[in-house]
Amino acid sequence: MTQVSLETISNLAKKRGFVFQSSEIYGGLRSAYDYGPLGVELLRNVKDQWWRAMVQERDDIVGLDSAILQAREVWRASGHEEVFTDPLVECRNCNARHRLDKLDDPDVCPNCGMRGTFTEARNFNLMFRTHMGPVEDDENLVYLRPETAQGIFINFENIRRTNRLKLPFGVAQIGKSFRNEITPGQFVFRTREFEQMEMEYFCRPGEAEAWFEYWVEQRMSWYTGLGIDPAHLRLRHHGEEELSHYSAMTADVDYLFPWGWDELEGIANRTDFDLRQHQEHSGEDLRYYDPDTEERIFPYVIEPAAGATRTTFAFLIDAYHTETVHDETRVVLRLDHRLAPYKVAVLPLSKKEELIEPAQRIAAELRRRWMVELDTTQSIGRRYRRQDEIGTPYAVTVDFESLDDHAVTVRDRDTMSQDRVSMDRLVEHLEKKLA
Ligand code: ATP
């Protein structure tokens, strides 16, 4: 098991301003969350790292940002209107509702403990419904997207044509998705509004299996490359009965959460299901013209689909460490520096103007490159503890000696070692460390 409990990590997230419950002052909306000043940085850094790996560093993948509201026909064609459902049961004794496929024992209500009290399971569609325009009738019904992927499929031809793309190529997208989950929970793990990072990789049908293996490997190493302990990751292949309606093969990247193994990302071979469906429903030719064979084909699609918010949560959990230093417990988030909300903290030793002024000057200079926190409150020990707890890799202390030697102390979060660095070489010093 990972060392930190769900309670400890969610308390830290709230206490330090990573995550707040949505509408908290009105009692809280249990299934949506707001990312506070630190959380928004962490989440953005996770998304930036994904974008960098999936788009920036590659010559075969381009990006997209499609609308959340799409024509209802999109969700008819994709099959979501009909089959994007979870089995819902209700307990006749306590009226609690559960998702049948997630229960430990399908006959026992985890809320009241009674056996055999469930109603017949019914398929509950997870899509949020709303209406376009002032008239709330069936004609104007639209859904909030439950996945970002369909925005990519319906733009397949636009993107291919305008960017002169040849197979194999991918389209990546990060954005909000909405699912009216029966049982949201485990903090930000399962929410009704969340963010996804999805990429559709279009390839020749005969090459789909090889690309599937390739993407499984790439995605696993993305997590470990950003600091997730490999012992906390596993790959789990779906059995036949578990596959989504569009998938020929799926493997989940699971993470060892405080409650056990659970999904971080699904990698699926969606075959040509979506393009075929959209061609049939829209009447547009969505086949790919292969200049080599002079044939029109439906490409196959390999999709690595990760949750941005869920992944951010896993990075937070995995970074959490405690250790004893001088008989005191130190909590430290060992976040990879690329993910840390602040890269540097600037801490004047005292509140005296003669130290505040150079500290402000240093902070202003460093802010041109990185997210920096200037903290002038409390004792230096407490300020170090705060920075450790929010994962800031380096703390720069300005002390009275700095006024004479024009140098500052740079403290390393992980080793707690301190280097004396001349002020005019500080940027260069940190650039090397944060490279
Ligand atoms: P589950 O079986 O847990 O409901 P899923 O297999 O339906 O999830 P996918 O459709 O494969 O999930 O979605 C891809 C990714 O999007 C998931 O791996 C997860 O990281 C993220 N995700 C899906 N649903 C939610 C949610 N309700 N809250 C947060 N993230 C989610």
Side-chain angles (χ1 to χ4, degrees):
M1 282 301 211
T2 29
Q3 53 174 215
V4 63
S5 71
L6 179 60
E7 196 190 352
T8 304
I9 198 74
S10 44
N11 283 344
L12 179 128
K14 287 176 206 159
K15 185 176 85 181
R16 292 302 190 190
F18 282 92
V19 180
F20 308 116
Q21 228 189 118
S22 164
S23 315
E24 196 176 82
I25 61 168
Y26 292 104
L29 205 61
R30 224 168 50 82
S31 52
Y33 288 87
D34 300 336
Y35 287 75
L38 294 174
V40 71
E41 295 299 331
L42 179 59
L43 179 61
R44 275 174 55 136
N45 293 339
V46 168
K47 291 188 286 187
D48 283 352
Q49 286 304 318
W50 187 88
W51 197 262
R52 195 186 165 96
M54 299 303 256
V55 181
Q56 185 186 328
E57 290 178 354
R58 303 190 60 104
D59 63 3
D60 55 349
I61 303 183
V62 294
L64 176 73
D65 189 357
S66 69
I68 287 172
L69 299 175
Q70 295 160 10
R72 183 177 177 185
E73 285 73 19
V74 172
W75 306 106
R76 282 207 180 111
S78 69
H80 283 78
E81 193 167 87
E82 199 183 340
V83 298
F84 193 61
T85 56
D86 279 337
L88 168 71
V89 290
E90 201 171 327
C91 173
R92 287 196 196 87
N93 180 49
C94 71
N95 297 329
R97 297 191 176 90
H98 304 287
R99 188 172 147 185
L100 184 63
D101 61 324
K102 293 280 177 188
L103 291 177
D104 291 336
D105 183 334
D107 287 323
V108 177
C109 174
N111 193 46
C112 68
M114 295 283 276
R115 178 176 287 277
T117 51
F118 285 146
T119 55
E120 195 68 18
R122 82 178 160 89
N123 288 331
F124 174 73
N125 195 298
L126 299 182
M127 286 196 291
F128 274 97
R129 300 147 73 98
T130 187
H131 295 89
M132 278 280 216
V135 184
E136 291 195 11
D137 63 9
D138 233 32
E139 286 259 294
N140 298 309
L141 178 74
V142 287
Y143 300 108
L144 302 190
R145 67 180 178 200
E147 62 171 28
T148 64
Q150 293 306 322
I152 296 177
F153 295 124
I154 58 179
N155 278 295
F156 172 74
E157 186 50 21
N158 281 338
I159 296 169
R160 187 207 59 76
R161 192 181 60 243
T162 52
N163 291 273
R164 295 161 299 158
L165 298 169
K166 297 218 160 56
L167 290 183
F169 70 87
V171 182
Q173 165 153 236
I174 299 177
K176 291 256 179 170
S177 291
F178 304 83
R179 296 183 189 179
N180 201 1
E181 299 280 0
I182 296 169
T183 41
Q186 275 119 342
F187 199 43
V188 296
F189 176 80
R190 188 183 302 286
T191 51
R192 292 187 171 125
E193 172 177 345
F194 55 99
E195 227 171 334
Q196 288 188 305
M197 310 187 285
E198 298 192 296
M199 195 275 290
E200 308 304 317
Y201 199 76
F202 300 94
C203 62
R204 292 190 171 75
E207 295 168 1
E209 275 175 37
W211 281 116
F212 180 87
E213 296 306 324
Y214 170 86
W215 280 110
V216 163
E217 214 237 77
Q218 289 286 311
R219 295 304 304 145
M220 290 295 269
S221 44
W222 184 78
Y223 291 102
T224 53
L226 283 170
I228 299 269
D229 183 341
H232 297 161
L233 278 184
R234 74 168 189 197
L235 193 71
R236 190 182 67 84
H237 285 269
H238 283 205
E240 194 75 22
E241 69 304 333
E242 200 190 343
L243 290 175
S244 313
H245 63 281
Y246 51 72
S247 178
M249 185 184 282
T250 298
D252 287 346
V253 178
D254 282 353
Y255 175 72
L256 189 55
F257 284 95
W259 57 90
W261 291 103
D262 226 327
E263 175 181 337
L264 268 189
E265 165 162 358
I267 300 160
N269 177 354
R270 289 182 83 128
T271 68
D272 54 6
F273 176 85
D274 300 272
L275 287 179
R276 271 186 195 276
Q277 287 292 107
H278 287 304
Q279 170 157 324
E280 196 183 311
H281 283 250
S282 69
E284 297 282 324
D285 190 351
L286 297 181
R287 288 172 303 169
Y288 170 86
Y289 175 73
D290 191 338
D292 299 340
T293 59
E294 298 185 356
E295 275 176 354
R296 284 190 167 274
I297 59 161
F298 281 111
Y300 265 38
V301 177
I302 304 304
E303 172 195 73
T309 39
R310 193 180 280 186
T311 300
T312 297
F313 188 32
F315 279 116
L316 198 60
I317 294 169
D318 223 63
Y320 186 95
H321 287 84
T322 54
E323 58 192 29
T324 307
V325 181
H326 305 310
D327 294 333
E328 273 190 46
T329 304
R330 173 171 97 115
V331 172
V332 52
L333 281 191
R334 295 194 194 277
L335 284 169
D336 185 286
H337 66 74
R338 291 166 292 180
L339 300 183
Y342 292 115
K343 311 300 179 206
V344 187
V346 178
L347 313 173
L349 194 63
S350 104
K351 273 193 181 149
K352 294 229 164 69
E353 186 53 33
E354 57 201 301
L355 295 191
I356 297 279
E357 193 277 326
Q360 283 173 335
R361 213 166 5 90
I362 290 170
E365 172 67 19
L366 300 181
R367 279 196 180 112
R368 291 150 59 100
R369 289 165 181 80
W370 302 289
M371 285 297 297
V372 170
E373 184 172 64
L374 173 68
D375 187 357
T376 59
T377 60
Q378 303 175 316
S379 73
I380 192 74
R382 290 181 80 134
R383 281 182 278 163
Y384 281 148
R385 276 202 290 286
R386 170 184 152 80
Q387 296 304 330
D388 288 344
E389 241 184 80
I390 64 175
T392 309
Y394 297 102
V396 171
T397 306
V398 183
D399 52 29
F400 289 100
E401 257 184 79
S402 306
L403 301 175
D404 297 325
D405 68 358
H406 299 285
V408 288
T409 302
V410 178
R411 175 183 178 271
D412 182 303
R413 174 196 72 196
D414 296 335
T415 61
M416 292 187 289
S417 64
Q418 308 203 352
D419 294 330
R420 196 75 186 165
V421 180
S422 122
M423 283 187 204
D424 54 13
R425 289 201 43 247
L426 181 61
V427 168
E428 195 189 327
H429 179 85
L430 289 169
E431 255 168 2
K432 272 196 203 123
K433 299 259 184 199
L434 291 165

